[in-house]
């Protein structure tokens, strides 16, 4: 049985195919670094057995040889786990997938992150054979010497001034039923105002989570005309956005849910713009009903005016964040976004 005893080739390269890239120092933005190894056995023949990492394959500092932090939370870190949301190179693009050559070369790809406050890092490859011999591409290491250089960028914090916050009318499934209820609805859209960057994931807190009311966060049923006017706000937070809500008839967001007394509920068309994964959709509703008006209690509603104040965290494709809030108390006038 052969043993991995040496290497005849060893190199390190970025996924872009180059040697230098930028990375946001936020602990989330990832840059892929690939180590290529052609292992040999005791007789200097190509070794085709398994090579284990991170025991045997690592990324290290090009100058000092110190290992980067494996799945760490300080300084420069690396992992074998790709986060597809934040695996992007600022100002660059991925190269064609590196090919495994037929000469026995093995390739190992790691994903590097940078924590706030780090300085430029030159990164080298380090391997340790099963016989304990160490090979590396660090400074002064000889014929295998080589590095990739990562330049940290200060992490961004997106504010309201950097986002698009607009709205337009949207249709509802039963809005034409004017015998008992008239429903008008508007969708609000939160997206990043950038031509080369966009939000990729969102987190929302502050809403009702009861079945049939999930995402409902503000309500006011006005006392004029016997509580006939309903104003309500909804946030459609589940991901992936379109497939989490979409139905075959195109109406997906459940709104104005009053099963007790009124026996009424409706569905709004939501995520009705291209690239629904890049924005967060909200719906504001004004619905009127005849007779004695809206009935409470219904679902989570026990008083005529109830609301949460949602907070939203949005992450862009590089792992930078924006934090926003909404005052549910303004439900009568629509939905207004503010910075946290």
């Amino acid at each position: 049985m052969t043993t991995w005893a040496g290497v005849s080739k060893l190199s390190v390269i970025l996924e872009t195919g180059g040697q230098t890239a930028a990375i946001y120092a936020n602990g989330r933005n990832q840059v892929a670094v690939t180590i290529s190894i052609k292992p040999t056995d005791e007789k200097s023949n190509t070794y085709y057995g398994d090579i284990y990492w991170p025991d045997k394959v690592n990324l290290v500092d090009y100058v000092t040889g110190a290992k980067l932090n494996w799945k760490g939370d300080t300084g420069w870190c690396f992992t074998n786990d790709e986060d597809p949301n934040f695996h992007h190179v600022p100002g660059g693009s991925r190269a064609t997938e590196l090919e495994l050559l037929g000469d026995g070369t093995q390739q190992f790809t790691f994903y590097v992150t940078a924590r706030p406050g780090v300085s430029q890092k030159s990164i080298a490859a380090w391997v340790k054979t099963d016989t304990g011999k160490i090979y590396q591409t660090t400074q002064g290491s000889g014929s295998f010497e080589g590095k990739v250089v990562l330049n940290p960028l200060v992490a961004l914090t997106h504010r309201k001034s950097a986002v698009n916050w607009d709205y337009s009318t949207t249709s509802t499934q039963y809005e034409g039923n004017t015998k008992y209820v008239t429903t008008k609805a508007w969708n609000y859209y939160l997206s990043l105002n950038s031509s080369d960057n966009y939000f990729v994931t969102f987190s929302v807190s502050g809403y009702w989570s009861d079945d049939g009311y999930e995402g409902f966060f503000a309500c006011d049923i006005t006392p004029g005309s016997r509580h006939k006017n309903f104003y309500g706000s909804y946030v459609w937070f589940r991901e992936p956005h379109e497939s989490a809500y979409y139905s075959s008839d195109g109406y997906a967001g459940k709104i104005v849910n009053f099963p007790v007394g009124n026996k009424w509920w409706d569905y709004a068309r939501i995520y009705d713009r291209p690239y629904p994964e890049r924005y967060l959709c909200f719906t504001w509703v004004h619905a009127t009903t005849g007779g004695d008006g809206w009935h409470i209690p219904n679902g989570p509603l026990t008083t005529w005016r109830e609301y949460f104040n949602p907070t939203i965290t949005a992450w862009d494709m590089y792992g930078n964040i924006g934090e926003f809030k909404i005052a549910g108390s303004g439900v009568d006038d629509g939905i207004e976004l503010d910075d946290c």
Side-chain angles (χ1 to χ4, degrees):
M1 182 177 180
T2 60
T3 300
W4 178 31
V7 300
S8 58
K9 294 181 181 179
L10 179 63
S11 64
V12 59
I13 195 170
L14 295 172
E15 63 179 330
T16 57
Q19 302 298 131
T20 304
I23 182 172
Y24 280 101
N26 55 30
R28 289 176 291 270
N29 190 193
Q30 291 184 332
V31 173
V33 178
T34 297
I35 296 175
S36 294
I37 309 167
K38 187 175 181 181
T40 58
D41 60 19
E42 307 94 319
K43 298 181 180 180
S44 298
N45 296 319
T46 301
Y47 175 77
Y48 293 96
D50 293 331
I51 294 175
Y52 299 97
W53 45 263
D55 298 345
K56 304 292 186 180
V57 184
N58 278 290
L59 296 177
V60 298
D61 185 286
Y62 171 73
V63 177
T64 67
K67 178 183 174 183
L68 275 61
N69 294 327
W70 174 249
K71 296 188 175 182
D73 56 9
T74 59
W76 287 93
C77 310
F78 73 117
T79 177
N80 63 308
D81 298 319
E82 178 187 9
D83 188 326
N85 283 329
F86 311 132
H87 179 191
H88 302 276
V89 179
S93 60
R94 296 194 194 188
T96 302
E97 188 71 20
L98 293 170
E99 295 183 2
L100 263 178
L101 302 179
D103 64 354
T105 298
Q106 300 189 35
Q107 295 179 330
F108 300 84
T109 297
F110 299 106
Y111 302 92
V112 179
T113 58
R115 297 289 173 172
V118 299
S119 301
Q120 182 189 74
K121 177 65 70 174
S122 295
I123 298 172
W126 177 99
V127 299
K128 182 179 180 181
T129 70
D130 290 339
T131 59
K133 189 169 183 179
I134 293 174
Y135 295 84
Q136 49 195 341
T137 68
T138 52
Q139 189 175 49
S141 57
S143 58
F144 294 141
E145 182 178 338
K147 63 183 178 180
V148 296
V149 180
L150 295 184
N151 296 306
L153 304 174
V154 175
L156 301 177
T157 299
H158 299 295
R159 309 291 290 173
K160 183 181 176 181
S161 59
V163 304
N164 292 317
W165 177 250
D166 56 348
Y167 63 91
S168 60
T169 58
T170 189
S171 59
T172 67
Q173 189 166 1
Y174 306 123
E175 63 185 0
N177 182 2
T178 57
K179 183 177 180 181
Y180 299 108
V181 176
T182 299
T183 303
K184 295 181 179 179
W186 291 258
N187 279 345
Y188 287 69
Y189 310 89
L190 171 62
S191 60
L192 188 58
N193 185 12
S194 174
S195 61
D196 57 2
N197 192 6
Y198 47 84
F199 288 137
V200 295
T201 187
F202 301 84
S203 175
V204 182
S205 61
Y207 50 80
W208 280 287
S209 58
D210 308 54
D211 186 35
Y213 303 87
E214 192 177 34
F216 181 32
F217 67 86
C219 170
D220 189 20
I221 301 174
T222 57
S225 301
R226 294 184 294 182
H227 296 104
K228 290 184 178 181
N229 287 285
F230 166 90
Y231 299 93
S233 297
Y234 301 79
V235 55
W236 310 112
F237 60 88
R238 282 190 277 141
E239 297 183 355
H241 290 157
E242 186 176 41
S243 61
Y245 294 97
Y246 185 78
S247 59
S248 59
D249 56 14
Y251 294 95
K254 195 170 188 177
I255 58 173
V256 198
N257 187 10
F258 283 83
V260 179
N262 298 94
K263 298 181 179 179
W264 176 267
W265 53 89
D266 207 343
Y267 295 86
R269 190 184 298 277
I270 61 175
Y271 288 107
D272 51 354
R273 293 185 174 184
Y275 307 109
E277 69 280 1
R278 298 183 184 183
Y279 66 89
L280 186 64
C281 183
F282 302 74
T283 301
W284 181 69
V285 179
H286 176 208
T288 60
T289 187
D292 295 329
W294 297 104
H295 289 241
I296 60 170
N298 250 291
L301 297 180
T302 58
T303 61
W304 301 114
R305 180 177 174 83
E306 298 184 52
Y307 58 86
F308 287 93
N309 296 311
T311 58
I312 302 103
T313 302
W315 288 267
D316 71 15
M317 62 192 293
Y318 305 117
N320 299 308
I321 68 170
E323 295 180 304
F324 311 99
K325 62 183 179 181
I326 292 171
S329 59
V331 63
D332 290 27
D333 301 313
I335 305 174
E336 183 63 35
L337 185 79
D338 288 305
D339 292 317
C340 279

